[in-house]
Amino acid sequence: MILYNSQNLRVSRVKEKPFKLEKDIQALFENNLNELMDLQLVKSEFSIKNKRIDTLAYDTQSNAFIIIEYKRSRNISVVDQGFTYLSLMLENKADFIVEYNETLKQNLKRTDVDWSQTRVVFVSTSFTANQRAATNFKDIAIELWEVKRYENNLISVNEIKKSKSAESIKPITS
């Protein structure tokens, strides 16, 4: 996406200011998680079973946990990492509930969570065509979000939507 600044009927291109570190993207999202994604921050750097999840969030509308992973640049391990984290969460549900309750001082119960709505979100400055295609199933629990930073403190955040012709993965997995 190209951004322009408009002044006196003249436009000038706004220059991109790339993120230097993955941590910069993570800090931006965690500090603005509700505004950017309508999610509640549970824990930053959540460790479980020798894995480290960048951000553990909770979606109060769907009553589901959301794992967010940040990538500063294109990365080849998006789909496999996404399924690994989904499996990790679904095999260790109690750990996620305990973390939620202890961190947020809440009393979330197992039956309060809709595990079928759980998903993994990858946030990166860009994704490859293969990553976009591999996640373009209407019922796959992996989302891609692109973020870019520009001069004048401008940020663009774009959820990569599944195409209208996206197929279901269910016939393939049966």
Side-chain angles (χ1 to χ4, degrees):
M1 174 192 329
I2 300 173
L3 294 181
Y4 295 92
N5 190 3
S6 173
Q7 199 168 22
N8 300 329
L9 300 177
R10 305 277 305 158
V11 295
S12 59
R13 192 171 182 163
V14 178
K15 293 180 186 150
E16 187 175 346
K17 262 179 72 178
F19 291 95
K20 288 187 173 78
L21 302 171
E22 187 179 291
K23 278 279 189 207
D24 296 336
I25 299 171
Q26 184 172 355
L28 173 73
F29 268 75
E30 287 183 349
N31 288 323
N32 299 283
L33 203 53
N34 189 47
E35 292 80 4
L36 294 174
M37 302 177 84
D38 201 22
L39 298 175
Q40 179 181 35
L41 177 65
V42 176
K43 177 93 174 192
S44 181
E45 306 296 331
F46 177 53
S47 293
I48 180 169
K49 306 282 184 200
N50 298 324
K51 302 279 186 215
R52 185 194 46 79
I53 293 169
D54 290 341
T55 302
L56 177 60
Y58 192 77
D59 185 336
T60 57
Q61 292 181 341
S62 66
N63 295 318
F65 285 100
I66 313 301
I67 293 173
I68 306 173
E69 286 295 308
Y70 306 95
K71 307 292 180 194
R72 189 180 63 78
S73 57
R74 291 179 184 209
N75 189 300
I76 58 170
S77 67
V78 169
V79 174
D80 58 338
Q81 185 181 17
F83 281 118
T84 298
Y85 283 167
L86 280 172
S87 175
L88 182 71
M89 183 187 306
L90 295 174
E91 290 172 3
N92 298 281
K93 295 174 183 175
D95 294 293
F96 286 81
I97 292 171
V98 168
E99 189 62 46
Y100 179 93
N101 288 337
E102 288 180 354
T103 304
L104 300 178
K105 311 288 185 247
Q106 297 290 320
N107 190 21
L108 188 70
K109 294 176 180 59
R110 262 185 321 207
T111 55
D112 294 337
V113 180
D114 184 351
W115 298 101
S116 71
Q117 298 299 311
T118 296
R119 60 193 190 275
V120 176
V121 176
F122 288 93
V123 177
S124 179
T125 55
S126 65
F127 293 97
T128 67
N130 284 343
Q131 290 167 335
R132 289 170 182 258
T135 58
N136 190 35
F137 291 94
K138 63 182 171 185
D139 46 12
I140 196 168
I142 298 174
E143 295 178 6
L144 305 179
W145 289 57
E146 282 185 336
V147 61
K148 296 199 182 300
R149 180 173 59 182
Y150 299 89
E151 62 187 2
N152 301 325
N153 299 315
L154 294 174
I155 302 285
S156 72
V157 176
N158 179 37
E159 178 184 359
I160 298 173
K161 300 279 189 190
K162 316 276 186 200
S163 70
K164 293 199 186 310
S165 61
E167 294 286 337
S168 170
I169 199 165
K170 287 180 181 164
I172 297 168
T173 59
S174 303

